[in-house]
Amino acid sequence: MDRQGTKEAAASVAPHPILDAAATLFPGYFALVMATGVVSIACELLGMRSLALILLLVNWIAYPVLWILTFVRALRFRDLLFRDISDHQRAPGFFTIVASTCVLGTQNMIVLGAASIATALWWLGLFLWFVVMYTFFTAVTVRPGKPTLARGINGAWLIAAVSTQSVVVLRGVIDVAEAPPELIQFQVLAMFLIGCMLYLAIIPLIFYRLTFISLSREDFSPPYWINMGAVAITALAGSILVLRGETWPMITPLLPFLRGFTFFFWAVASWWIPFLFALMAWRYIWMKDRFTYEPAVWGMVFPMGMYCTSTYQFGRAMGYGFLDPVPKVLVFVALSAWLLGMAGLLRRIARSLVRT
């Protein structure tokens, strides 16, 4: 079901503003929590604690609100929810539920040192990962009347890899001083490799679509930044595992492999950035398209913040001190993008309230 169809269906059944918000809720709206969390983490790591705490507060408001809207949608607008689950364009957004849960846990661990909250969110994130991962791939596999590759895939599919690596990162920041049980170490390592597999399996399809299929300027939407964000969080997960190499016995024999693989993914993330900025310049400067707020904007803010955090931890894991200036500059780029996104969101909320 396309976006217009979803809006029309919601408008006919949801006259109340809260019900309307639930009915039309974009499945990927939890990317707001992901973006806010990763920018907060970057601020904390780079010494801007006040901003990190403010963003943590924002997340503890946004995360429950989004869950409430999701539950309302599941109870009152089940048909719309089920349509989204098997929709190739919208269904990948459900992976943001997993990633936001784990990013919020990582944010609480790094900013507050709240290990109990982080651990609870890790178990919740792990459970949600199994539910969303296999529901999504089963639904799009058995769906009749599948779309073409040109219409069916975009950068949002890579949130499957993002959600997987978010589970790895959260566990890695929880168990710093002492190793978790061997079974958890094994599971975390396996999920890191699964996340790598998902990125390497999906990105060729997206790259093919970009380079061999005619696209309009509207096709170059914010979710394409996840092409970079997914590989950046993979590099972050690898860096965290390398940093745990001295305390996690199961990682120690794999350190040479992890270092090389992590370097590979960080380099790929770096390659994407100039290309994505070039596509943005083509759309908004050359083609003079007007930038407007949409929920998918948070899928652009998150990769910017993630690359900043990833580069910080990558430099620490590899001992590359010459990379230190990079995150110190990029954190302000990520903060600026977050402020623009939040301004757009608040403006949309204000307009909705005025209309009612």
Side-chain angles (χ1 to χ4, degrees):
M1 187 177 191
D2 60 18
R3 293 181 184 178
Q4 186 62 34
T6 300
K7 290 180 180 178
E8 291 174 355
S12 64
V13 295
H16 191 278
I18 295 178
L19 293 179
D20 181 66
T24 59
L25 183 68
F26 177 57
Y29 230 132
F30 279 86
L32 164 62
V33 177
M34 295 164 56
T36 305
V38 75
V39 174
S40 173
I41 291 166
C43 288
E44 175 68 19
L45 294 175
L46 295 167
M48 294 180 281
R49 181 164 178 77
S50 297
L51 287 174
L53 288 170
I54 292 171
L55 292 171
L56 178 61
L57 176 61
V58 171
N59 254 0
W60 273 117
I61 296 171
Y63 186 71
V65 167
L66 288 169
W67 266 117
I68 290 169
L69 292 175
T70 300
F71 282 130
V72 171
R73 193 166 196 248
L75 293 173
R76 296 293 299 271
F77 310 106
R78 195 173 296 112
D79 290 344
L80 296 177
L81 182 67
F82 286 157
R83 288 172 185 170
D84 282 349
I85 289 173
S86 61
D87 186 287
H88 280 63
Q89 288 279 343
R90 294 172 64 86
F94 287 103
F95 283 109
T96 62
I97 299 175
V98 181
S100 65
T101 300
C102 293
V103 169
L104 182 61
T106 304
Q107 185 185 13
N108 277 269
M109 188 66 202
I110 291 178
V111 177
L112 295 181
S116 57
I117 295 175
T119 302
L121 288 171
W122 183 78
W123 284 108
L124 176 60
L126 183 62
F127 169 75
L128 292 171
W129 182 86
F130 277 98
V131 173
V132 176
M133 181 66 65
Y134 293 104
T135 299
F136 167 74
F137 279 107
T138 301
V140 297
T141 299
V142 303
R143 171 189 170 179
K146 298 177 185 178
T148 63
L149 181 63
R151 289 183 55 84
I153 197 166
N154 57 41
W157 276 63
L158 289 169
I159 309 176
V162 172
S163 66
T164 306
Q165 300 296 10
S166 71
V167 178
V168 177
V169 171
L170 176 52
R171 194 73 220 190
V173 301
I174 291 172
D175 298 300
V176 176
E178 296 182 1
E182 283 192 352
L183 183 60
I184 290 181
Q185 293 181 54
F186 180 83
Q187 178 257 334
V188 169
L189 281 166
M191 290 195 72
F192 171 70
L193 295 176
I194 291 169
C196 296
M197 177 275 293
L198 288 169
Y199 184 84
L200 294 174
I202 295 170
I203 196 62
L205 302 176
I206 295 174
F207 204 85
Y208 172 81
R209 183 175 188 259
L210 284 172
T211 53
F212 288 97
I213 296 175
S214 297
L215 302 173
S216 66
R217 59 179 179 267
E218 290 78 12
D219 288 313
F220 297 106
S221 55
Y224 270 106
W225 276 85
I226 304 170
N227 296 355
M228 183 271 286
V231 72
I233 194 175
T234 302
L236 173 62
S239 298
I240 295 294
L241 292 178
V242 170
L243 289 169
R244 299 291 88 81
E246 295 182 358
T247 54
W248 291 28
M250 197 167 288
I251 291 179
T252 304
L254 300 174
L255 277 175
F257 163 76
L258 288 173
R259 288 179 183 274
F261 224 27
T262 299
F263 201 143
F264 165 75
F265 283 111
W266 181 85
V268 173
S270 303
W271 178 88
W272 273 108
I273 294 176
F275 182 36
L276 292 168
F277 273 115
L279 292 177
M280 285 187 67
W282 175 81
R283 178 178 178 179
Y284 296 111
I285 298 176
W286 181 260
M287 300 301 295
K288 298 180 181 180
D289 203 1
R290 184 169 175 265
F291 184 84
T292 57
Y293 175 81
E294 56 179 308
V297 162
W298 298 107
M300 180 176 67
V301 180
F302 170 77
M304 293 182 181
M306 179 51 65
Y307 184 80
C308 177
T309 303
S310 177
T311 301
Y312 177 89
Q313 298 288 24
F314 174 72
R316 287 182 62 222
M318 300 295 184
Y320 297 157
F322 53 83
L323 289 175
D324 290 350
V326 177
K328 291 178 181 178
V329 173
L330 290 179
V331 67
F332 293 104
V333 177
L335 273 169
S336 299
W338 185 89
L339 287 170
L340 288 172
M342 182 55 64
L345 173 59
L346 293 176
R347 185 180 180 185
R348 173 168 289 191
I349 293 173
R351 286 182 171 179
S352 298
L353 294 175
V354 168
R355 284 198 298 266
T356 58

